[in-house]
Coordinates of all heavy atoms in Angstrom, one line a residue:
A303 N 0.8 -1.2 0.0 CA 0.0 0.0 0.0 C 0.9 1.3 0.1 O 2.0 1.2 0.4 CB -1.0 0.0 1.3
W304 N 0.3 2.3 -0.6 CA 1.1 3.6 -0.6 C 0.1 4.6 -0.1 O -1.1 4.6 0.0 CB 1.4 4.0 -2.0 CG 2.7 3.4 -2.6 CD1 3.9 3.7 -2.4 CD2 2.5 2.3 -3.6 NE1 4.8 2.9 -3.1 CE2 3.9 2.0 -3.9 CE3 1.6 1.6 -4.2 CZ2 4.3 1.2 -4.9 CZ3 1.9 0.6 -5.2 CH2 3.4 0.3 -5.5
A305 N 0.7 5.6 0.5 CA -0.1 6.9 0.9 C -0.8 7.3 -0.4 O -0.1 7.3 -1.6 CB 0.8 7.9 1.4
G306 N -1.9 7.9 -0.3 CA -2.7 8.4 -1.4 C -1.9 9.4 -2.3 O -1.9 9.2 -3.5
T307 N -1.3 10.3 -1.6 CA -0.4 11.3 -2.6 C 0.7 10.6 -3.3 O 1.0 10.9 -4.5 CB 0.1 12.4 -1.6 OG1 0.9 11.7 -0.5 CG2 -1.1 13.2 -1.1
T308 N 1.3 9.6 -2.6 CA 2.5 8.9 -3.3 C 2.0 8.1 -4.5 O 2.6 8.1 -5.5 CB 3.2 8.0 -2.2 OG1 3.7 8.9 -1.2 CG2 4.4 7.3 -2.8
Y309 N 0.8 7.4 -4.3 CA 0.2 6.5 -5.4 C 0.0 7.4 -6.5 O 0.3 7.1 -7.7 CB -0.9 5.8 -4.9 CG -1.6 5.0 -5.9 CD1 -1.2 3.7 -6.1 CD2 -2.7 5.5 -6.6 CE1 -1.8 3.0 -7.1 CE2 -3.3 4.8 -7.6 CZ -2.9 3.5 -7.9 OH -3.5 2.8 -8.8
R310 N -0.6 8.6 -6.3 CA -1.0 9.4 -7.4 C 0.2 9.9 -8.1 O 0.3 10.1 -9.4 CB -1.9 10.6 -6.9 CG -3.3 10.1 -6.6 CD -4.3 11.1 -6.3 NE -4.0 11.6 -4.8 CZ -4.4 11.2 -3.8 NH1 -5.2 10.1 -3.9 NH2 -4.1 11.8 -2.6
D311 N 1.4 10.2 -7.4 CA 2.5 10.6 -8.1 C 3.1 9.5 -8.9 O 3.6 9.7 -10.1 CB 3.6 11.0 -7.0 CG 3.2 12.3 -6.3 OD1 2.5 13.1 -6.9 OD2 3.8 12.7 -5.1
L312 N 3.1 8.3 -8.4 CA 3.6 7.1 -9.2 C 2.7 6.9 -10.4 O 3.2 6.6 -11.5 CB 3.5 5.9 -8.3 CG 4.5 5.8 -7.2 CD1 4.3 4.6 -6.2 CD2 6.1 5.9 -7.7
E313 N 1.4 7.0 -10.3 CA 0.4 6.9 -11.5 C 0.8 8.0 -12.5 O 1.0 7.6 -13.6 CB -0.8 7.1 -10.9 CG -2.0 7.1 -12.1 CD -3.4 7.2 -11.6 OE1 -3.6 7.3 -10.4 OE2 -4.3 7.4 -12.4
T314 N 1.1 9.2 -12.1 CA 1.4 10.3 -13.0 C 2.7 9.9 -13.8 O 2.9 10.1 -15.0 CB 1.5 11.6 -12.4 OG1 0.3 12.0 -11.6 CG2 1.9 12.7 -13.3
L315 N 3.7 9.4 -13.0 CA 4.9 9.1 -13.6 C 4.7 8.0 -14.6 O 5.4 8.1 -15.8 CB 6.0 8.7 -12.6 CG 7.3 8.2 -12.9 CD1 8.1 9.2 -13.9 CD2 8.1 7.7 -11.8
A316 N 4.1 7.0 -14.4 CA 3.9 5.8 -15.2 C 3.1 6.2 -16.5 O 3.5 5.8 -17.6 CB 3.1 4.8 -14.5
L317 N 2.3 7.2 -16.3 CA 1.5 7.7 -17.7 C 2.4 8.4 -18.4 O 2.4 8.3 -19.8 CB 0.3 8.5 -17.1 CG -1.1 7.7 -16.7 CD1 -2.1 8.7 -16.1 CD2 -1.6 7.0 -17.9
R318 N 3.2 9.3 -18.0 CA 4.2 10.1 -18.7 C 5.1 9.2 -19.5 O 5.5 9.4 -20.6 CB 4.9 11.2 -17.7 CG 5.7 12.2 -18.5 CD 6.1 13.2 -17.7 NE 7.1 12.9 -16.6 CZ 6.8 12.8 -15.3 NH1 5.5 13.3 -15.0 NH2 7.6 12.5 -14.4
L319 N 5.7 8.1 -18.8 CA 6.5 7.2 -19.4 C 5.8 6.4 -20.6 O 6.4 6.2 -21.5 CB 7.1 6.2 -18.4 CG 8.1 6.9 -17.4 CD1 8.5 5.8 -16.3 CD2 9.3 7.5 -18.1
A320 N 4.5 6.0 -20.3 CA 3.8 5.2 -21.3 C 3.5 6.1 -22.5 O 3.4 5.5 -23.6 CB 2.5 4.8 -20.7
E321 N 3.5 7.4 -22.5 CA 3.3 8.3 -23.7 C 4.6 8.3 -24.5 O 4.4 8.6 -25.7 CB 2.9 9.8 -23.2 CG 1.6 9.8 -22.5 CD 1.4 11.2 -22.0 OE1 2.4 12.0 -22.0 OE2 0.2 11.4 -21.6
L322 N 5.6 8.0 -23.9 CA 6.9 8.1 -24.8 C 7.1 6.8 -25.5 O 7.9 6.6 -26.4 CB 8.1 8.3 -23.8 CG 8.2 9.6 -22.9 CD1 9.3 9.6 -22.2 CD2 8.1 10.8 -23.9
G323 N 6.4 5.7 -25.2 CA 6.4 4.4 -25.7 C 5.9 3.4 -24.7 O 5.8 3.6 -23.5
P324 N 5.8 2.1 -25.3 CA 5.3 1.0 -24.3 C 6.2 0.9 -23.0 O 7.4 0.9 -23.2 CB 5.5 -0.3 -25.1 CG 5.3 0.2 -26.6 CD 6.0 1.5 -26.6
L325 N 5.5 0.9 -21.9 CA 6.3 1.0 -20.5 C 6.6 -0.4 -20.1 O 5.7 -1.2 -20.0 CB 5.5 1.7 -19.6 CG 6.1 1.9 -18.1 CD1 7.3 2.6 -18.2 CD2 5.1 2.6 -17.2
T326 N 7.9 -0.7 -19.9 CA 8.3 -2.0 -19.4 C 8.4 -2.0 -17.9 O 8.7 -0.8 -17.3 CB 9.5 -2.5 -20.0 OG1 10.6 -1.6 -19.7 CG2 9.5 -2.6 -21.6
P327 N 8.4 -3.0 -17.2 CA 8.6 -3.1 -15.8 C 10.0 -2.6 -15.4 O 10.2 -1.8 -14.5 CB 8.4 -4.5 -15.3 CG 7.4 -5.0 -16.3 CD 7.9 -4.4 -17.7
A328 N 11.0 -3.0 -16.2 CA 12.4 -2.4 -15.9 C 12.5 -0.9 -16.0 O 13.2 -0.3 -15.1 CB 13.4 -3.1 -16.9
A329 N 11.8 -0.3 -17.0 CA 12.0 1.1 -17.2 C 11.3 1.8 -15.9 O 11.7 2.9 -15.5 CB 11.3 1.6 -18.5
L330 N 10.2 1.4 -15.5 CA 9.5 1.9 -14.4 C 10.2 1.7 -13.1 O 10.3 2.6 -12.2 CB 8.1 1.3 -14.2 CG 7.2 1.9 -13.2 CD1 7.1 3.4 -13.3 CD2 5.8 1.2 -13.0
R331 N 10.9 0.6 -13.0 CA 11.8 0.3 -11.8 C 12.9 1.3 -11.8 O 13.2 1.8 -10.7 CB 12.3 -1.1 -11.9 CG 13.1 -1.6 -10.7 CD 13.9 -2.8 -11.0 NE 14.8 -2.7 -12.2 CZ 15.3 -3.6 -12.9 NH1 15.0 -4.9 -12.6 NH2 16.1 -3.4 -13.9
D332 N 13.5 1.5 -12.9 CA 14.6 2.5 -12.8 C 14.3 3.8 -12.6 O 14.9 4.6 -11.9 CB 15.3 2.4 -14.3 CG 16.0 1.1 -14.5 OD1 16.2 0.4 -13.5 OD2 16.3 0.8 -15.7
A333 N 13.0 4.2 -13.0 CA 12.5 5.6 -12.9 C 12.1 5.9 -11.4 O 12.2 7.0 -11.0 CB 11.3 5.9 -13.8
T334 N 11.6 4.8 -10.7 CA 11.1 4.9 -9.4 C 12.2 4.7 -8.3 O 12.1 5.0 -7.1 CB 9.9 4.1 -9.1 OG1 10.2 2.7 -9.3 CG2 8.7 4.6 -10.0
G335 N 13.3 3.8 -8.8 CA 14.4 3.5 -7.9 C 13.8 2.5 -6.8 O 14.3 2.4 -5.7
T336 N 12.7 1.7 -7.1 CA 12.2 0.7 -6.3 C 12.6 -0.7 -6.8 O 13.5 -0.9 -7.6 CB 10.6 0.8 -6.3 OG1 10.2 0.6 -7.5 CG2 10.3 2.2 -5.7
S337 N 11.9 -1.7 -6.3 CA 12.3 -3.1 -6.8 C 10.9 -3.6 -7.7 O 9.9 -2.9 -7.8 CB 12.4 -4.0 -5.5 OG 11.1 -4.2 -5.0
R338 N 11.2 -4.8 -8.3 CA 10.2 -5.4 -9.1 C 8.8 -5.7 -8.4 O 7.8 -5.5 -8.9 CB 10.8 -6.7 -9.6 CG 9.9 -7.4 -10.7 CD 10.4 -8.7 -11.3 NE 9.4 -9.3 -12.2 CZ 9.3 -8.9 -13.4 NH1 10.0 -8.0 -13.9 NH2 8.4 -9.6 -14.2
K339 N 9.0 -6.0 -7.1 CA 7.8 -6.2 -6.3 C 6.9 -5.0 -6.3 O 5.7 -5.2 -6.5 CB 8.3 -6.4 -4.8 CG 7.1 -6.3 -3.8 CD 7.6 -6.4 -2.3 CE 6.6 -6.1 -1.3 NZ 7.2 -6.0 0.0

């Protein structure tokens, strides 16, 4: 679970990356600095 504000920030980031091209899990992992989980 994430705090609501954090989740919305992650959602915005994922949408912006998906506009540049198909978003892979690896690309999102690198952008967020988190793990595959």
